[in-house]
mmCIF file of all heavy atoms in Angstrom:
data_model
loop_
_atom_site.group_PDB
_atom_site.id
_atom_site.type_symbol
_atom_site.label_atom_id
_atom_site.label_comp_id
_atom_site.label_asym_id
_atom_site.label_seq_id
_atom_site.Cartn_x
_atom_site.Cartn_y
_atom_site.Cartn_z
ATOM 1 N N LEU A 34 1.825 7.151 66.514
ATOM 2 C CA LEU A 34 2.311 8.525 66.337
ATOM 3 C C LEU A 34 2.473 8.975 64.928
ATOM 4 O O LEU A 34 2.060 10.020 64.540
ATOM 5 C CB LEU A 34 3.697 8.699 67.004
ATOM 6 C CG LEU A 34 4.307 10.129 66.877
ATOM 7 C CD1 LEU A 34 3.363 11.143 67.591
ATOM 8 C CD2 LEU A 34 5.667 10.202 67.514
ATOM 9 N N ALA A 35 3.039 8.062 64.076
ATOM 10 C CA ALA A 35 3.158 8.399 62.635
ATOM 11 C C ALA A 35 1.763 8.686 62.076
ATOM 12 O O ALA A 35 1.573 9.704 61.309
ATOM 13 C CB ALA A 35 3.836 7.261 61.905
ATOM 14 N N LEU A 36 0.836 7.841 62.428
ATOM 15 C CA LEU A 36 -0.566 7.938 61.985
ATOM 16 C C LEU A 36 -1.178 9.300 62.465
ATOM 17 O O LEU A 36 -1.827 10.043 61.710
ATOM 18 C CB LEU A 36 -1.337 6.765 62.393
ATOM 19 C CG LEU A 36 -2.504 6.283 61.617
ATOM 20 C CD1 LEU A 36 -2.216 6.141 60.170
ATOM 21 C CD2 LEU A 36 -2.969 4.931 62.185
ATOM 22 N N ALA A 37 -0.995 9.591 63.785
ATOM 23 C CA ALA A 37 -1.610 10.744 64.347
ATOM 24 C C ALA A 37 -1.018 12.047 63.702
ATOM 25 O O ALA A 37 -1.749 12.985 63.460
ATOM 26 C CB ALA A 37 -1.342 10.804 65.847
ATOM 27 N N ALA A 38 0.221 11.923 63.326
ATOM 28 C CA ALA A 38 0.917 13.135 62.752
ATOM 29 C C ALA A 38 0.469 13.296 61.288
ATOM 30 O O ALA A 38 0.692 14.352 60.733
ATOM 31 C CB ALA A 38 2.419 13.051 62.849
ATOM 32 N N GLY A 39 -0.127 12.279 60.706
ATOM 33 C CA GLY A 39 -0.651 12.385 59.384
ATOM 34 C C GLY A 39 0.047 11.531 58.361
ATOM 35 O O GLY A 39 -0.335 11.583 57.129
ATOM 36 N N ALA A 40 1.082 10.769 58.787
ATOM 37 C CA ALA A 40 1.803 9.910 57.822
ATOM 38 C C ALA A 40 1.087 8.575 57.769
ATOM 39 O O ALA A 40 0.203 8.275 58.505
ATOM 40 C CB ALA A 40 3.239 9.795 58.216
ATOM 41 N N SER A 41 1.662 7.738 56.892
ATOM 42 C CA SER A 41 1.200 6.351 56.750
ATOM 43 C C SER A 41 2.338 5.401 57.084
ATOM 44 O O SER A 41 3.273 5.269 56.333
ATOM 45 C CB SER A 41 0.725 6.113 55.275
ATOM 46 O OG SER A 41 0.300 4.806 55.099
ATOM 47 N N PRO A 42 2.251 4.788 58.242
ATOM 48 C CA PRO A 42 3.421 3.915 58.673
ATOM 49 C C PRO A 42 3.336 2.530 58.079
ATOM 50 O O PRO A 42 2.208 2.000 57.885
ATOM 51 C CB PRO A 42 3.242 3.872 60.189
ATOM 52 C CG PRO A 42 1.699 4.015 60.431
ATOM 53 C CD PRO A 42 1.240 4.859 59.290
ATOM 54 N N VAL A 43 4.470 1.943 57.787
ATOM 55 C CA VAL A 43 4.551 0.508 57.476
ATOM 56 C C VAL A 43 5.640 -0.051 58.319
ATOM 57 O O VAL A 43 6.731 0.561 58.502
ATOM 58 C CB VAL A 43 4.703 0.182 55.977
ATOM 59 C CG1 VAL A 43 5.893 0.986 55.428
ATOM 60 C CG2 VAL A 43 4.796 -1.223 55.691
ATOM 61 N N MET A 44 5.358 -1.187 59.055
ATOM 62 C CA MET A 44 6.238 -1.565 60.195
ATOM 63 C C MET A 44 6.912 -2.918 59.980
ATOM 64 O O MET A 44 7.147 -3.657 60.892
ATOM 65 C CB MET A 44 5.385 -1.712 61.485
ATOM 66 C CG MET A 44 4.509 -0.457 61.759
ATOM 67 S SD MET A 44 5.327 1.036 62.187
ATOM 68 C CE MET A 44 6.030 0.669 63.749
ATOM 69 N N ALA A 45 7.314 -3.224 58.729
ATOM 70 C CA ALA A 45 7.826 -4.503 58.401
ATOM 71 C C ALA A 45 9.267 -4.706 58.992
ATOM 72 O O ALA A 45 9.932 -3.749 59.311
ATOM 73 C CB ALA A 45 7.882 -4.748 56.900
ATOM 74 N N GLN A 46 9.701 -5.949 59.121
ATOM 75 C CA GLN A 46 11.022 -6.276 59.644
ATOM 76 C C GLN A 46 11.650 -7.497 59.064
ATOM 77 O O GLN A 46 12.734 -7.892 59.498
ATOM 78 C CB GLN A 46 10.953 -6.340 61.128
ATOM 79 C CG GLN A 46 10.016 -7.353 61.673
ATOM 80 C CD GLN A 46 9.839 -7.347 63.168
ATOM 81 O OE1 GLN A 46 10.291 -6.372 63.821
ATOM 82 N NE2 GLN A 46 9.244 -8.299 63.760
ATOM 83 N N ALA A 47 10.944 -8.151 58.123
ATOM 84 C CA ALA A 47 11.559 -9.360 57.515
ATOM 85 C C ALA A 47 12.545 -8.956 56.446
ATOM 86 O O ALA A 47 12.234 -8.157 55.531
ATOM 87 C CB ALA A 47 10.473 -10.243 56.910
ATOM 88 N N PRO A 48 13.816 -9.522 56.441
ATOM 89 C CA PRO A 48 14.794 -9.227 55.418
ATOM 90 C C PRO A 48 14.172 -9.484 54.043
ATOM 91 O O PRO A 48 14.477 -8.668 53.123
ATOM 92 C CB PRO A 48 15.930 -10.152 55.726
ATOM 93 C CG PRO A 48 15.833 -10.448 57.190
ATOM 94 C CD PRO A 48 14.367 -10.413 57.531
ATOM 95 N N GLU A 49 13.352 -10.456 53.914
ATOM 96 C CA GLU A 49 12.767 -10.868 52.629
ATOM 97 C C GLU A 49 11.985 -9.760 51.940
ATOM 98 O O GLU A 49 11.808 -9.791 50.730
ATOM 99 C CB GLU A 49 11.838 -12.085 52.763
ATOM 100 C CG GLU A 49 12.571 -13.365 53.096
ATOM 101 C CD GLU A 49 12.646 -13.543 54.638
ATOM 102 O OE1 GLU A 49 12.590 -12.574 55.360
ATOM 103 O OE2 GLU A 49 12.749 -14.770 55.049
#
Side-chain angles (χ1 to χ4, degrees):
Chain A
L34 178 61
L36 208 50
S41 179
V43 55
M44 312 293 291
Q46 55 186 13
E49 291 90 338

